[in-house]
Amino acid sequence: MTLRLDGRVAVVTGAGAGLGREHALLLARQGAKIVVNDLGGSTDGRGGDSAAADKVVAEIKAAGGDAAPNYDSVTSPDGAKNIVDTALEAFGRIDILVNNAGILRDKSFAKVEMDDFKAVFDVHYWGSVYCTKAAWGPMTEQKYGRVIFTTSVAGTAGNFGQANYGSAKAAVLGLMNVLAIEGRKNNIYANAISPGALTRMTSGLGMDESFMEKLNPAFVSPAVAWLASERCEVTGGIFTAAGGGFGRLHYFETFGVQFDTSAPITVEMFDDAFPKINDFSTAVPAPAGTEGRMQERFDSLKR
Ligand code: NAI
């Protein structure tokens, strides 16, 4: 099991800037051939320019790596197919997909327009669906794949003004959970990173700039390169990565209660049991593909 990526082909979406660029540069240094996808638009997803992808391709080549550009938007099935076809045509396969492309249209829920909601879902959620769907066939055929999704603390914990972005980032985790189950038998692993970094997306958001400068996007990419390697045997994981710190995030469930179902269950019973239902000192992780404590309660009902 190696951390090297020689012979592997990786597609990184939104790799013309920020985190995606760093992921692409590191994956290339690890030996992978890279498709640098980027439509080169603005942070809010408007416009387009091939220069962003071209520049990163040139950087990879200058460092002795191999890369091909793609300028399609991830927001349509055809665009996603072109992105994956770029890998197949240039390098003959696709082993790694990093769903990284992203935009922001922040506004409080009271003020957000539905067009801004949909635009954010189109890139983060549907872009991840379309690109992964396009890569799934080749990965299934070759019985190998590493898919890395990009979520956010806005999706795992919420953030003011980001109802569109936070819910799209949470939806990406729902997709990952299912693909972790469906992909396992074909050696396709699906994981997510929840990054933090100073990029054009986060500069100008009113965060403390002197602190944000410590969050070099290059500090995030080692997690991506590890998840992209054969060495990674985790699937369905969410890994936090920011400022040189790394962790793993998971759903937990409290021990809770199981009432006798031969009698009616009342709201007062729920109220009485609430301290136990809410007691996180008894919580355990709910492993991917199981119902965790709920499964144990189901089992007790079957007995
Ligand atoms: P960025 O704005 O620097 O880079 C995003 C790239 O995606 C840009 O080059 C852009 O042109 C490209 N892109 C946007 N829409 C696209 C589309 N439809 N098709 C192809 N490419 C497209 O932003 P950053 O910070 O590097 O973000 C990368 C990912 O990390 C995003 O998914 C973002 O939501 C996520 N993220 C970033 C955090 C941070 O602290 N920077 C925190 C949490 C998540």
Side-chain angles (χ1 to χ4, degrees), residues 12-23 37-49 52-53 70-76 83 99-104 119 122-124 127-128 131 149-154 162 165 169 193-203 205 207 212 215 217 220 241-242:
V12 183
T13 69
L19 286 159
R21 173 177 165 274
E22 295 295 344
H23 302 337
N37 157 261
D38 207 300
L39 94 174
S42 57
T43 304
D44 67 2
R46 294 184 169 95
D49 183 353
N70 173 282
Y71 318 113
D72 281 288
S73 173
V74 298
T75 53
S76 76
I83 295 168
N99 287 303
N100 165 82
I103 63 166
L104 281 186
D122 279 347
V123 179
H124 292 278
S128 298
C131 291
F149 295 96
T150 309
T151 187
S152 163
V153 72
Q162 295 195 316
Y165 179 76
K169 288 305 204 188
I193 58 154
S194 179
L198 178 60
T199 64
R200 68 173 195 179
M201 187 182 270
T202 46
S203 68
L205 287 183
M207 294 192 263
M212 287 303 287
L215 306 189
V220 172

Coordinates of all heavy atoms in Angstrom, one line a residue, residues 12-23 37-49 52-53 70-76 83 99-104 119 122-124 127-128 131 149-154 162 165 169 193-203 205 207 212 215 217 220 241-242, ligand 1:
V12 N -9.2 17.0 -10.8 CA -9.5 18.0 -9.7 C -10.3 19.1 -10.3 O -9.9 19.8 -11.2 CB -8.2 18.6 -9.0 CG1 -8.6 19.5 -7.9 CG2 -7.2 17.5 -8.6
T13 N -11.6 19.2 -9.8 CA -12.4 20.2 -10.3 C -12.1 21.5 -9.6 O -11.8 21.5 -8.4 CB -13.9 19.9 -10.2 OG1 -14.3 19.9 -8.8 CG2 -14.3 18.5 -10.8
G14 N -12.3 22.6 -10.3 CA -12.0 23.9 -9.7 C -10.5 24.1 -9.3 O -10.2 24.6 -8.2
A15 N -9.6 23.5 -10.1 CA -8.2 23.4 -9.7 C -7.4 24.6 -10.2 O -6.2 24.6 -10.1 CB -7.6 22.1 -10.2
G16 N -8.1 25.6 -10.7 CA -7.4 26.8 -11.3 C -7.0 27.8 -10.2 O -6.2 28.7 -10.5
A17 N -7.4 27.6 -9.0 CA -7.1 28.5 -7.9 C -7.3 27.9 -6.5 O -7.8 26.7 -6.4 CB -8.1 29.7 -8.0
G18 N -6.8 28.6 -5.5 CA -7.1 28.2 -4.1 C -6.8 26.8 -3.8 O -5.7 26.3 -4.1
L19 N -7.7 26.1 -3.1 CA -7.4 24.8 -2.6 C -7.3 23.8 -3.7 O -6.4 22.9 -3.7 CB -8.6 24.3 -1.7 CG -8.7 24.9 -0.3 CD1 -10.1 24.9 0.3 CD2 -7.7 24.3 0.6
G20 N -8.1 23.9 -4.8 CA -8.0 22.9 -5.9 C -6.6 23.0 -6.5 O -6.1 21.9 -6.9
R21 N -6.1 24.2 -6.7 CA -4.7 24.3 -7.3 C -3.7 23.6 -6.4 O -2.9 22.8 -6.9 CB -4.4 25.8 -7.4 CG -3.0 26.0 -7.8 CD -2.7 27.5 -8.0 NE -1.3 27.8 -8.0 CZ -0.5 27.9 -7.0 NH1 -1.0 28.0 -5.8 NH2 0.8 28.1 -7.1
E22 N -3.8 23.7 -5.1 CA -2.8 23.1 -4.2 C -3.0 21.6 -4.2 O -2.0 20.8 -4.2 CB -3.0 23.6 -2.8 CG -2.6 25.0 -2.6 CD -1.2 25.4 -2.8 OE1 -0.3 24.4 -2.8 OE2 -0.9 26.6 -3.0
H23 N -4.3 21.1 -4.3 CA -4.5 19.6 -4.4 C -3.8 19.1 -5.7 O -3.1 18.1 -5.6 CB -6.0 19.3 -4.4 CG -6.8 19.8 -3.3 ND1 -6.3 20.1 -2.1 CD2 -8.1 20.0 -3.2 CE1 -7.2 20.5 -1.2 NE2 -8.4 20.4 -1.9
N37 N -9.3 20.9 -14.0 CA -10.6 21.5 -14.5 C -10.8 22.9 -13.8 O -10.7 23.0 -12.6 CB -11.7 20.6 -14.2 CG -13.1 21.4 -14.1 OD1 -13.5 21.7 -13.1 ND2 -13.6 21.6 -15.3
D38 N -11.2 23.8 -14.6 CA -11.6 25.1 -14.0 C -12.2 26.0 -15.1 O -11.7 26.2 -16.2 CB -10.5 25.9 -13.3 CG -11.0 26.8 -12.2 OD1 -11.8 27.7 -12.5 OD2 -10.6 26.6 -11.1
L39 N -13.4 26.5 -14.8 CA -14.0 27.3 -15.8 C -13.6 28.8 -15.7 O -13.9 29.6 -16.5 CB -15.6 27.2 -15.9 CG -16.5 28.1 -15.0 CD1 -17.9 27.9 -15.3 CD2 -16.2 28.1 -13.6
G40 N -12.8 29.0 -14.6 CA -12.2 30.4 -14.5 C -13.2 31.5 -14.2 O -12.9 32.6 -14.7
G41 N -14.2 31.2 -13.5 CA -15.2 32.3 -13.2 C -14.9 33.1 -11.9 O -13.9 32.9 -11.3
S42 N -15.8 33.9 -11.6 CA -15.6 34.7 -10.3 C -16.1 33.9 -9.1 O -16.7 32.8 -9.3 CB -16.5 36.0 -10.4 OG -17.8 35.7 -10.7
T43 N -15.9 34.4 -7.9 CA -16.2 33.7 -6.7 C -17.7 33.4 -6.7 O -18.2 32.4 -6.1 CB -15.8 34.5 -5.5 OG1 -14.4 34.7 -5.6 CG2 -16.1 33.7 -4.2
D44 N -18.5 34.3 -7.2 CA -20.0 34.0 -7.2 C -20.4 33.2 -8.4 O -21.6 33.0 -8.7 CB -20.8 35.3 -7.1 CG -20.7 36.2 -8.3 OD1 -20.0 35.9 -9.3 OD2 -21.3 37.3 -8.3
G45 N -19.5 32.7 -9.2 CA -19.8 31.8 -10.3 C -20.1 32.4 -11.6 O -20.7 31.8 -12.5
R46 N -19.8 33.7 -11.8 CA -20.1 34.3 -13.1 C -18.8 34.4 -13.9 O -17.7 34.5 -13.5 CB -20.7 35.7 -12.8 CG -22.1 35.6 -12.1 CD -22.8 36.9 -11.9 NE -24.1 36.7 -11.5 CZ -24.5 36.7 -10.2 NH1 -23.7 36.9 -9.2 NH2 -25.8 36.5 -9.9
G47 N -19.1 34.4 -15.3 CA -18.0 34.6 -16.2 C -17.1 33.3 -16.4 O -17.5 32.2 -15.9
G48 N -16.0 33.4 -17.1 CA -15.2 32.2 -17.4 C -13.9 32.6 -18.1 O -14.0 33.6 -18.8
D49 N -12.8 31.9 -17.9 CA -11.6 32.2 -18.5 C -10.7 31.0 -18.4 O -10.4 30.4 -17.3 CB -10.9 33.4 -17.7 CG -9.6 33.9 -18.3 OD1 -9.1 33.2 -19.3 OD2 -9.1 34.9 -17.8
A52 N -7.1 30.3 -16.0 CA -6.9 29.7 -14.6 C -6.4 28.2 -14.7 O -5.3 27.9 -14.1 CB -8.2 29.7 -13.9
A53 N -7.0 27.4 -15.5 CA -6.6 26.0 -15.7 C -5.3 25.9 -16.4 O -4.4 25.2 -16.0 CB -7.7 25.2 -16.4
N70 N -8.9 21.4 -18.6 CA -10.3 21.3 -19.0 C -11.1 22.5 -18.5 O -10.9 22.9 -17.3 CB -11.0 20.0 -18.5 CG -12.5 20.0 -18.8 OD1 -13.2 20.6 -18.1 ND2 -12.9 19.3 -19.8
Y71 N -11.9 23.1 -19.3 CA -12.5 24.4 -19.0 C -14.0 24.3 -18.8 O -14.7 25.3 -18.7 CB -12.3 25.4 -20.1 CG -10.8 25.4 -20.6 CD1 -10.6 25.0 -21.9 CD2 -9.8 25.7 -19.7 CE1 -9.2 24.9 -22.4 CE2 -8.5 25.7 -20.2 CZ -8.2 25.3 -21.5 OH -6.9 25.2 -22.0
D72 N -14.6 23.0 -18.7 CA -16.0 22.9 -18.6 C -16.5 23.2 -17.2 O -15.8 23.0 -16.2 CB -16.4 21.4 -18.9 CG -16.4 21.1 -20.4 OD1 -17.3 21.6 -21.1 OD2 -15.5 20.5 -20.9
S73 N -17.8 23.6 -17.2 CA -18.4 23.8 -15.9 C -18.9 22.4 -15.4 O -19.3 21.6 -16.1 CB -19.6 24.7 -16.0 OG -20.3 24.8 -14.8
V74 N -18.8 22.2 -14.1 CA -19.3 21.0 -13.5 C -20.8 20.9 -13.4 O -21.3 19.9 -13.0 CB -18.7 20.8 -12.0 CG1 -17.2 20.7 -12.1 CG2 -19.1 21.9 -11.1
T75 N -21.4 22.0 -13.8 CA -22.9 22.1 -13.5 C -23.8 21.4 -14.5 O -25.0 21.7 -14.5 CB -23.3 23.6 -13.4 OG1 -22.8 24.3 -14.6 CG2 -22.6 24.3 -12.2
S76 N -23.3 20.6 -15.4 CA -24.1 19.9 -16.3 C -23.6 18.5 -16.5 O -22.3 18.3 -16.4 CB -24.3 20.6 -17.7 OG -23.1 20.3 -18.5
I83 N -15.2 16.5 -18.7 CA -14.1 16.6 -17.7 C -13.5 15.2 -17.6 O -12.3 15.0 -17.7 CB -14.6 17.1 -16.4 CG1 -15.1 18.6 -16.5 CG2 -13.5 17.0 -15.3 CD1 -15.9 19.1 -15.3
N99 N -13.8 16.4 -6.0 CA -14.9 17.3 -6.2 C -14.6 18.6 -5.3 O -15.0 18.6 -4.2 CB -16.2 16.7 -5.8 CG -16.6 15.6 -6.8 OD1 -16.8 15.9 -8.0 ND2 -16.9 14.4 -6.4
N100 N -14.0 19.6 -6.0 CA -13.6 20.7 -5.2 C -14.2 22.1 -5.7 O -14.3 23.0 -4.9 CB -12.0 20.8 -5.3 CG -11.5 22.2 -4.9 OD1 -11.3 22.4 -3.7 ND2 -11.3 23.1 -5.8
A101 N -14.7 22.1 -6.9 CA -15.2 23.4 -7.5 C -16.2 24.0 -6.6 O -17.1 23.3 -6.0 CB -15.7 23.2 -8.9
G102 N -16.2 25.3 -6.4 CA -17.2 25.9 -5.5 C -17.3 27.4 -5.7 O -16.5 28.1 -6.3
I103 N -18.5 27.9 -5.4 CA -18.9 29.3 -5.5 C -19.6 29.7 -4.2 O -20.0 28.8 -3.4 CB -19.7 29.7 -6.7 CG1 -21.1 28.9 -6.6 CG2 -19.0 29.3 -8.0 CD1 -22.1 29.5 -7.6
L104 N -19.8 31.0 -4.0 CA -20.5 31.5 -2.8 C -21.5 32.5 -3.3 O -21.3 33.3 -4.2 CB -19.6 32.2 -1.9 CG -18.7 31.4 -0.9 CD1 -18.1 32.4 0.1 CD2 -19.5 30.4 -0.1
A119 N -28.0 28.3 -7.8 CA -26.7 28.4 -8.4 C -25.7 27.7 -7.5 O -24.7 27.0 -8.0 CB -26.3 29.8 -8.7
D122 N -26.1 24.0 -7.8 CA -25.7 23.5 -9.1 C -24.2 23.2 -9.1 O -23.8 22.2 -9.6 CB -25.9 24.6 -10.2 CG -27.3 24.6 -10.7 OD1 -28.1 23.6 -10.4 OD2 -27.7 25.6 -11.4
V123 N -23.4 24.0 -8.4 CA -22.0 23.8 -8.4 C -21.6 22.7 -7.4 O -21.0 21.7 -7.7 CB -21.2 25.1 -8.2 CG1 -19.7 24.8 -8.2 CG2 -21.5 26.1 -9.2
H124 N -22.0 23.0 -6.1 CA -21.5 22.1 -5.1 C -22.1 20.7 -5.1 O -21.4 19.7 -5.0 CB -21.7 22.8 -3.7 CG -20.9 24.0 -3.5 ND1 -19.6 24.0 -3.1 CD2 -21.2 25.3 -3.7 CE1 -19.1 25.2 -3.0 NE2 -20.0 26.0 -3.4
G127 N -22.8 19.5 -9.2 CA -21.4 19.3 -9.8 C -20.8 18.1 -9.2 O -20.2 17.3 -10.0
S128 N -20.9 17.8 -7.9 CA -20.4 16.6 -7.4 C -21.1 15.3 -7.9 O -20.5 14.3 -8.1 CB -20.5 16.6 -5.8 OG -19.7 17.7 -5.3
C131 N -20.1 14.9 -11.8 CA -18.7 14.4 -12.0 C -18.5 13.0 -11.5 O -17.8 12.2 -12.1 CB -17.7 15.4 -11.3 SG -17.7 17.0 -12.2
F149 N -14.8 14.3 -1.7 CA -15.8 15.4 -1.7 C -15.3 16.6 -0.8 O -14.5 16.4 0.1 CB -17.2 15.0 -1.2 CG -17.8 14.0 -2.1 CD1 -17.7 12.6 -1.8 CD2 -18.5 14.3 -3.2 CE1 -18.3 11.6 -2.7 CE2 -19.1 13.4 -4.1 CZ -19.0 12.0 -3.8
T150 N -15.8 17.8 -1.1 CA -15.4 18.9 -0.3 C -16.7 19.5 0.4 O -17.6 20.0 -0.2 CB -14.8 20.0 -1.1 OG1 -13.8 19.4 -1.9 CG2 -14.2 21.1 -0.2
T151 N -16.7 19.3 1.8 CA -17.8 19.8 2.5 C -17.3 21.1 3.2 O -16.3 21.6 2.9 CB -18.4 18.8 3.5 OG1 -19.6 19.3 4.1 CG2 -17.4 18.4 4.6
S152 N -18.0 21.5 4.2 CA -17.7 22.8 4.9 C -18.3 22.8 6.3 O -19.3 22.1 6.5 CB -18.2 24.0 4.1 OG -18.2 25.1 5.0
V153 N -17.7 23.5 7.2 CA -18.3 23.6 8.5 C -19.7 24.3 8.4 O -20.6 24.0 9.2 CB -17.4 24.5 9.5 CG1 -17.3 25.9 9.1 CG2 -17.7 24.3 10.9
A154 N -19.9 25.0 7.3 CA -21.3 25.6 7.1 C -22.3 24.4 6.9 O -23.5 24.6 7.2 CB -21.3 26.5 5.9
Q162 N -25.5 31.4 5.1 CA -25.1 30.4 4.1 C -26.1 29.2 4.1 O -25.7 28.1 4.0 CB -23.7 29.9 4.5 CG -22.6 31.0 4.3 CD -21.2 30.4 4.3 OE1 -20.9 29.6 5.1 NE2 -20.4 30.9 3.4
Y165 N -25.4 27.5 0.7 CA -24.0 26.8 0.7 C -24.0 25.7 1.7 O -23.5 24.6 1.4 CB -23.0 27.9 1.0 CG -21.6 27.4 1.1 CD1 -20.8 27.2 -0.1 CD2 -20.9 27.4 2.3 CE1 -19.5 26.8 0.0 CE2 -19.6 27.0 2.4 CZ -18.9 26.7 1.3 OH -17.6 26.3 1.4
K169 N -23.5 21.8 1.0 CA -22.4 21.1 1.5 C -22.8 19.9 2.4 O -22.0 18.9 2.5 CB -21.5 22.0 2.4 CG -20.7 23.0 1.5 CD -19.9 22.3 0.5 CE -18.7 23.1 0.0 NZ -18.0 22.5 -1.2
I193 N -13.4 16.1 2.7 CA -12.7 17.0 3.6 C -13.5 18.2 3.9 O -14.4 18.6 3.1 CB -11.3 17.4 3.0 CG1 -11.6 18.1 1.6 CG2 -10.4 16.3 2.8 CD1 -10.5 19.1 1.3
S194 N -13.3 18.7 5.1 CA -13.9 19.9 5.5 C -12.8 20.9 5.8 O -12.1 20.8 6.9 CB -14.8 19.7 6.8 OG -15.3 20.9 7.2
P195 N -12.4 21.7 4.8 CA -11.2 22.5 4.9 C -11.4 23.9 5.5 O -12.5 24.4 5.7 CB -10.8 22.7 3.4 CG -12.1 22.7 2.7 CD -13.1 21.9 3.5
G196 N -10.3 24.5 5.8 CA -10.3 25.9 6.1 C -9.0 26.5 5.5 O -7.9 26.0 5.7
A197 N -9.1 27.6 4.8 CA -7.9 28.1 4.1 C -8.2 29.6 3.6 O -9.3 29.9 3.3 CB -7.5 27.3 2.9
L198 N -7.1 30.3 3.6 CA -7.3 31.7 3.0 C -7.2 31.5 1.5 O -6.1 31.2 0.9 CB -6.1 32.6 3.5 CG -6.1 34.0 2.9 CD1 -7.5 34.7 3.2 CD2 -5.0 34.8 3.4
T199 N -8.3 31.8 0.8 CA -8.3 31.8 -0.6 C -9.1 33.0 -1.0 O -9.6 33.7 -0.2 CB -9.0 30.5 -1.2 OG1 -10.4 30.6 -0.7 CG2 -8.4 29.2 -0.7
R200 N -9.4 33.2 -2.3 CA -10.2 34.3 -2.7 C -11.6 34.2 -2.2 O -12.3 35.2 -2.0 CB -10.2 34.5 -4.2 CG -10.9 33.4 -4.9 CD -11.1 33.6 -6.4 NE -12.1 32.7 -6.9 CZ -12.5 32.7 -8.1 NH1 -12.0 33.5 -9.0 NH2 -13.4 31.8 -8.5
M201 N -12.0 32.9 -1.9 CA -13.4 32.7 -1.4 C -13.5 33.2 0.0 O -14.6 33.7 0.4 CB -13.7 31.2 -1.5 CG -15.1 30.9 -1.1 SD -15.5 29.1 -1.1 CE -16.0 28.8 -2.8
T202 N -12.5 33.1 0.8 CA -12.6 33.5 2.2 C -12.0 34.8 2.5 O -12.2 35.4 3.6 CB -11.9 32.4 3.1 OG1 -10.6 32.1 2.5 CG2 -12.7 31.2 3.2
S203 N -11.2 35.4 1.5 CA -10.7 36.7 1.8 C -11.8 37.7 1.5 O -12.7 37.5 0.7 CB -9.5 37.1 0.9 OG -9.9 37.2 -0.4
L205 N -14.3 38.2 3.6 CA -15.5 37.8 4.3 C -15.6 38.5 5.7 O -16.5 38.1 6.4 CB -15.6 36.3 4.4 CG -15.9 35.5 3.1 CD1 -16.0 34.0 3.5 CD2 -17.2 36.0 2.4
M207 N -13.3 38.1 7.9 CA -12.6 37.3 9.0 C -11.3 38.0 9.3 O -10.7 38.7 8.5 CB -12.4 35.9 8.5 CG -13.8 35.2 8.3 SD -13.6 33.4 8.1 CE -13.7 33.3 6.4
M212 N -6.2 34.5 9.3 CA -6.5 33.8 8.1 C -5.2 33.5 7.3 O -5.0 32.5 6.6 CB -7.5 34.5 7.2 CG -8.9 34.5 7.7 SD -9.5 32.8 7.9 CE -9.8 32.3 6.2
L215 N -3.7 30.2 7.5 CA -4.4 29.1 6.9 C -4.0 28.9 5.4 O -4.8 29.2 4.5 CB -5.9 29.3 7.0 CG -6.4 29.5 8.5 CD1 -8.0 29.4 8.5 CD2 -5.9 28.5 9.4
P217 N -3.6 27.3 2.0 CA -4.4 26.2 1.4 C -3.5 24.9 1.2 O -4.0 23.8 1.2 CB -4.9 26.8 0.1 CG -4.2 28.0 -0.1 CD -3.7 28.5 1.2
V220 N -3.9 22.0 3.6 CA -5.0 21.1 3.5 C -4.7 19.9 2.6 O -5.2 18.7 2.9 CB -6.3 21.9 2.9 CG1 -7.4 20.9 2.7 CG2 -6.6 23.0 3.9
A241 N -9.5 19.8 7.9 CA -8.1 20.1 7.6 C -8.0 21.6 7.4 O -8.6 22.2 6.5 CB -7.7 19.4 6.2
A242 N -7.2 22.2 8.3 CA -7.1 23.7 8.2 C -5.9 24.1 9.1 O -5.7 23.6 10.2 CB -8.3 24.4 8.8
Ligands
NAI1 P1 -11.7 29.5 -4.8 O1 -12.7 30.4 -5.2 O2 -10.3 29.9 -4.6 O3 -11.6 28.3 -5.9 C1 -12.7 27.6 -6.4 C2 -12.4 27.3 -7.8 O4 -13.6 26.6 -8.4 C3 -12.2 28.6 -8.7 O5 -11.0 28.5 -9.4 C4 -13.4 28.6 -9.6 O6 -13.2 29.1 -10.9 C5 -13.8 27.1 -9.7 N1 -15.2 26.9 -10.1 C6 -16.3 27.5 -9.6 N2 -17.4 27.1 -10.2 C7 -17.0 26.1 -11.1 C8 -17.7 25.3 -12.0 N3 -19.0 25.4 -12.2 N4 -16.9 24.4 -12.8 C9 -15.6 24.3 -12.6 N5 -14.9 25.1 -11.8 C10 -15.6 26.0 -11.0 O7 -12.2 28.7 -3.5 P2 -11.5 27.7 -2.5 O8 -11.5 28.4 -1.1 O9 -10.3 27.2 -3.0 O10 -12.7 26.6 -2.4 C11 -12.5 25.2 -2.9 C12 -13.5 24.3 -2.2 O11 -13.3 24.3 -0.8 C13 -15.0 24.8 -2.5 O12 -15.8 23.7 -2.7 C14 -15.3 25.5 -1.2 O13 -16.7 25.5 -0.9 C15 -14.5 24.6 -0.2 N6 -14.3 25.2 1.1 C16 -13.4 26.2 1.2 C17 -13.1 26.7 2.5 C18 -12.0 27.7 2.7 O14 -11.8 28.1 3.9 N7 -11.4 28.3 1.7 C19 -13.9 26.3 3.7 C20 -14.8 25.2 3.4 C21 -15.0 24.7 2.2

